């Protein structure tokens, strides 16, 4: 389904990362992938994880460093000369902002969370678009805390609201170039980032009890949806937030 397509995946921290599940799903359909990492610590891990892949590119891209972002896209242009899809799976908020009341969020924590978790989407889309000459697809990862209050999720919920709104504005800007932009709102998964949110195990238990499917999602289910969204099967879908949450979001009282 993705044979001869070139994709870029941002946000693999380890093999439990949602980004890695997306990468595996896309590779299972024949996609050729490049990966970016943030910082040397993750470089070693990602290089090992991708050691058996053919024709891959593993490059640094800390989104707070514009020259690194520019260099990453230059490297992609140089190696492949184009890009068909991009999977944006990065987020960060200082740990102290993910505990207690949103009311107490510092200016610094707010700006950091919004910069890394939301601004980074238009930032990378701007560099990716010129490489998507035959059209393309961009997918990002959101969470239910964007639209409803989730205890301790705080400034990350506000960042996810901005991310989902950005998805719509970018879809409108890039649609005439046949570049689609969608978000996946994933149910909670126990990844490295998720451990930064206080009482993650409480979230997981709540979903298991309340979601229509009476279980939590598996990262592979997010990966499969990302694969659908970057493939031509979803050619009529853009600007949407698609839930992969075992139906949790539909429940009222
Ligand atoms: O329950 C969950 N795990 C959910 C995650 C539910 C719904 C959505 N999501 C979202 C997250 O908010 C994020 O946007 O999915 C995305 C991926 O999250 P993940 O797979 O849960 O987490 P993880 O494996 O930690 O990957 C996120 C990565 C970072 O990892 P660490 O743990 O080192 O912070 O985002 C990257 C980094 O690789 N990242 C950055 N990349 C470039 N520049 C930066 C940065 N400045 N900061 C963090």
């Amino acid at each position: 389904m993705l044979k001869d397509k070139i994709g870029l995946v941002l946000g693999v921290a380890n093999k439990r990362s949602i980004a890695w599940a997306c990468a595996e799903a896309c590779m299972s359909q024949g996609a050729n992938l490049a990966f970016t990492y943030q910082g040397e610590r993750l470089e070693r891990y990602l290089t090992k994880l991708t050691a058996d892949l053919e024709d891959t590119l593993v490059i640094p891209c800390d989104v707070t460093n514009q020259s690194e972002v520019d260099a990453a896209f230059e490297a992609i242009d140089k190696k492949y000369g184009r890009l068909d899809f991009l999977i944006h799976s990065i987020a960060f908020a200082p740990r102290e902002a993910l505990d207690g009341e949103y009311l107490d969020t510092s200016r610094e924590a707010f700006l950091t969370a919004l910069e890394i978790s939301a601004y980074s989407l238009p930032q990378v889309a701007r560099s990716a678009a010129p490489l998507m000459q035959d059209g393309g697809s961009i997918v990002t990862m959101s969470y239910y805390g964007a639209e409803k209050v989730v205890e301790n999720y705080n400034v990350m919920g506000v960042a996810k609201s901005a991310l989902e709104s950005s998805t719509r504005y970018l879809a409108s800007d890039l649609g005439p170039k046949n570049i689609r932009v969608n978000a996946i709102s994933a149910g909670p998964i126990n990844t490295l980032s998720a451990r930064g949110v206080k009482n993650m195990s409480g979230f997981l238990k709540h979903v298991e009890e309340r979601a229509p499917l009476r279980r939590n999602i598996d990262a592979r289910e997010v990966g499969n949806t990302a694969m659908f969204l970057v493939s031509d099967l979803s050619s009529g879908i853009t600007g949407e937030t698609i839930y992969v949450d075992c139906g949790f979001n539909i429940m009222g009282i």
Side-chain angles (χ1 to χ4, degrees):
M1 208 184 305
L2 298 176
K3 200 170 169 298
D4 299 327
K5 298 235 190 217
I6 312 279
L8 171 64
V9 180
L10 296 94
V12 178
N14 59 38
K15 65 176 191 304
R16 281 165 165 256
S17 295
I18 292 174
W20 184 246
C22 295
E24 285 194 309
C26 293
M27 291 188 294
S28 78
Q29 297 301 314
N32 207 347
L33 298 182
F35 297 86
T36 65
Y37 59 85
Q38 177 221 6
E40 271 171 40
R41 182 178 53 92
L42 297 180
E43 177 183 13
R44 260 173 283 139
Y45 197 84
L46 192 55
T47 307
K48 242 200 231 163
L49 203 57
T50 56
D52 295 336
L53 306 184
E54 275 171 37
D55 207 22
T56 188
L57 189 61
V58 176
I59 36 182
C61 183
D62 183 327
V63 293
T64 61
N65 182 344
Q66 186 59 46
S67 54
E68 242 179 50
V69 177
D70 293 341
F73 283 91
E74 272 163 33
I76 289 163
D77 191 14
K78 197 165 163 214
K79 183 168 170 75
Y80 306 107
R82 66 169 225 273
L83 195 61
D84 299 301
F85 65 87
L86 181 150
I87 297 175
H88 171 278
S89 184
I90 66 185
F92 176 78
R95 191 173 275 253
E96 71 275 10
L98 300 175
D99 190 359
E101 293 191 339
Y102 173 65
L103 186 66
D104 295 327
T105 309
S106 68
R107 178 187 301 265
E108 202 190 341
F110 186 95
L111 293 176
T112 301
L114 270 284
E115 180 187 9
I116 299 176
S117 317
Y119 179 70
S120 60
L121 182 67
Q123 180 186 20
V124 298
R126 200 158 52 241
S127 297
L131 298 177
M132 294 178 163
Q133 287 127 4
D134 303 327
S137 176
I138 297 174
V139 175
T140 187
M141 299 300 155
S142 192
Y143 177 60
Y144 185 64
E147 57 188 294
K148 292 284 192 285
V149 174
V150 172
E151 209 180 344
N152 299 316
Y153 202 62
N154 298 350
V155 71
M156 191 55 89
V158 175
K160 292 300 190 193
S161 299
L163 183 73
E164 291 184 9
S165 183
S166 288
T167 299
R168 292 185 283 272
Y169 278 90
L170 290 170
S172 171
D173 286 348
L174 296 172
K177 297 187 169 119
N178 195 28
I179 298 172
R180 299 181 292 111
V181 188
N182 291 289
I184 293 174
S185 183
I189 303 173
N190 215 349
T191 61
L192 200 62
S193 287
R195 281 187 214 132
V197 182
K198 205 176 160 201
N199 193 25
M200 184 66 188
S201 54
F203 287 16
L204 291 166
K205 189 160 172 282
H206 187 72
V207 171
E208 204 175 301
E209 286 166 3
R210 295 276 299 146
L213 295 181
R214 296 290 189 276
R215 63 174 177 84
N216 279 287
I217 59 159
D218 187 296
R220 281 172 295 196
E221 294 174 305
V222 181
N224 287 339
T225 306
M227 183 256 284
F228 163 70
L229 286 172
V230 301
S231 80
D232 294 339
L233 285 180
S234 59
S235 57
I237 302 176
T238 194
E240 297 294 341
T241 297
I242 298 194
Y243 295 91
V244 181
D245 67 348
C246 294
F248 182 81
N249 77 93
I250 67 160
M251 299 302 288
I253 298 168

